[in-house]
Amino acid sequence: TACGGGDDSGDGGGDGLVVGFAQVGAESAWRTANSASVQSAAEADERIAELKFVDAQQDQEKQIEAVRNFITQQVDVIVLAPVVETGWTDVLQEAADAGIPVVLADRGIEAADEDLYVTRLGSDFTEEGRKAGTWAAETFAADTDGTRILELQGTTGSAPANDRKAGFFEVLDAEGLDYEIVDSQSGNFTAEEGKAVMETFITTHGLEGVDLLYAHNDEMGLGAIQAIEEAGFTPGTDIQIIIVDGSKAGFQAGVDGKLNYIVECNPVFGEQLMDVVVQVADGETVEKFTPVEEGAFDATQFEAELPNRQF
Ligand code: GYE
């Protein structure tokens, strides 16, 4: 990939594509790995002349501004990882009016705006929630006095927070688990906020009789583990913990016995994304949604899997 310039042709001629990427932020190890994957894939790809990268610091206004700048700059394709699901209609309509195709990477947006993007490449967050729910329903099936659950949700209004919650409780309900949501708050996908919210949970409800913490990502789970330890409890034993993502730090906490189940979410899809970007620029027909392949791991698998983790 050459630096700078590039023409606007999506037909394989000229210097390649100019792509604008409005990224969510840098809130987690997952996000850092995702940005690195996309940036290095763009750099290595001869079909891409330039990737204009904007870190929106988890702020939708900043993302909207980035997309507007990409439109002004007449990039060939806009890649958007929308921080929340709603509020995109106007700016995506502006991109459509300018004839610039939009590809969603990672997070999705509300169904009403489905016509305003070409395709989404990312995880099936509902399925991730279902995996967490399946493990919880099996693990606590014999819990006769009701399973008491704390939930640390991701960023309010984000697709992974909405869908990881929905998939989880869908399975608990379908399996007929007798459970109670002791509390459920957003920790905004960060370690700091995850820790702070867990401290509040402990102050408000205590931890006696709480069976399970479901954290929508590694960072919040790891922050909560600190809060649990500082309050004098043993994470993974006094309270069982599920996290989503599966970073090295997350698996290490699993190996250390501090958490019990990891649902994988894979951020390393940069090369796949570049293929989609080129197809879209060439006007090829693509699927509306391409899921990333993912697994899930229990305590018997943490140690063997740790060396395989890429982020
Ligand atoms: O799980 C979390 C990050 O959108 C799938 O965002 C992504 C989520 C990921 O902050 O760690």
Side-chain angles (χ1 to χ4, degrees):
T1 297
C3 290
D7 69 10
D8 64 352
S9 76
D11 58 9
D15 298 329
L17 301 168
V18 177
V19 179
F21 179 26
Q23 175 64 297
V24 168
E27 72 283 0
S28 62
W30 189 101
R31 186 67 53 197
T32 306
N34 181 248
S35 294
S37 171
V38 173
Q39 286 174 306
S40 64
E43 220 149 276
D45 197 323
E46 289 175 351
R47 303 167 301 180
I48 310 297
E50 188 191 352
L51 181 79
K52 297 176 186 291
F53 179 90
V54 175
D55 170 346
Q57 299 168 288
Q58 299 223 73
D59 180 344
Q60 183 175 32
E61 288 309 313
K62 289 199 172 78
Q63 275 197 309
I64 290 174
E65 194 187 310
V67 172
R68 290 219 163 98
N69 285 334
F70 295 151
I71 295 170
T72 307
Q73 294 164 347
Q74 295 183 288
V75 301
D76 295 300
V77 178
I78 292 171
V79 177
L80 171 64
V83 59
V84 291
E85 292 191 286
T86 57
W88 297 103
T89 316
D90 291 351
V91 74
L92 292 186
Q93 188 58 56
E94 288 165 36
D97 293 345
I100 302 173
V102 173
V103 171
L104 299 187
D106 169 29
R107 299 183 184 178
I109 61 175
E110 60 179 337
D113 284 343
E114 203 176 69
D115 293 341
L116 295 174
Y117 67 91
V118 183
T119 183
R120 173 168 93 87
L121 172 66
S123 304
D124 183 338
F125 306 124
T126 309
E127 197 50 40
E128 292 171 348
R130 289 189 191 113
K131 287 174 186 164
T134 301
W135 181 83
E138 281 168 13
T139 302
F140 294 102
D143 186 0
T144 45
D145 61 350
T147 304
R148 303 185 71 230
I149 301 172
L150 290 170
E151 183 182 34
L152 274 171
Q153 298 183 46
T155 301
T156 303
S158 71
N162 291 340
D163 297 352
R164 285 173 185 167
K165 183 183 190 63
F168 182 74
F169 289 107
E170 173 199 303
V171 172
L172 296 198
D173 292 337
E175 294 299 320
L177 188 77
D178 174 19
Y179 69 89
E180 176 200 341
I181 305 173
V182 175
D183 213 333
S184 175
Q185 304 285 338
S186 172
N188 205 23
F189 281 131
T190 68
E192 299 71 38
E193 288 176 71
K195 183 174 183 224
V197 173
M198 191 66 206
E199 283 167 355
T200 308
F201 284 168
I202 294 171
T203 315
T204 314
H205 311 285
L207 269 193
E208 306 291 342
V210 176
D211 299 292
L212 176 67
L213 169 68
Y214 173 38
H216 288 188
N217 84 338
D218 284 23
E219 271 66 27
M220 295 190 295
L222 295 171
I225 284 171
Q226 277 184 28
I228 292 165
E229 287 178 329
E230 285 171 18
F233 295 92
T234 309
T237 306
D238 291 335
I239 178 171
Q240 302 219 34
I241 300 173
I242 303 174
I243 59 172
V244 186
D245 277 355
S247 62
K248 284 183 184 137
F251 269 84
Q252 187 59 57
V255 169
D256 296 342
K258 296 181 179 188
L259 57 85
N260 312 80
Y261 199 61
I262 300 175
V263 177
E264 180 184 34
C265 183
N266 179 11
V268 188
F269 55 65
E271 287 180 17
Q272 216 182 336
L273 179 63
M274 292 309 125
D275 288 341
V276 171
V277 161
V278 171
Q279 284 169 346
V280 165
D282 287 347
E284 284 177 34
T285 313
V286 292
E287 297 287 329
K288 196 74 192 182
F289 171 53
T290 306
V292 175
E293 291 273 307
E294 295 167 340
F297 306 88
D298 68 17
T300 64
Q301 299 164 302
F302 292 156
E303 195 156 359
E305 180 57 24
L306 177 58
N308 302 333
R309 305 316 297 169
Q310 292 185 62
F311 68 102

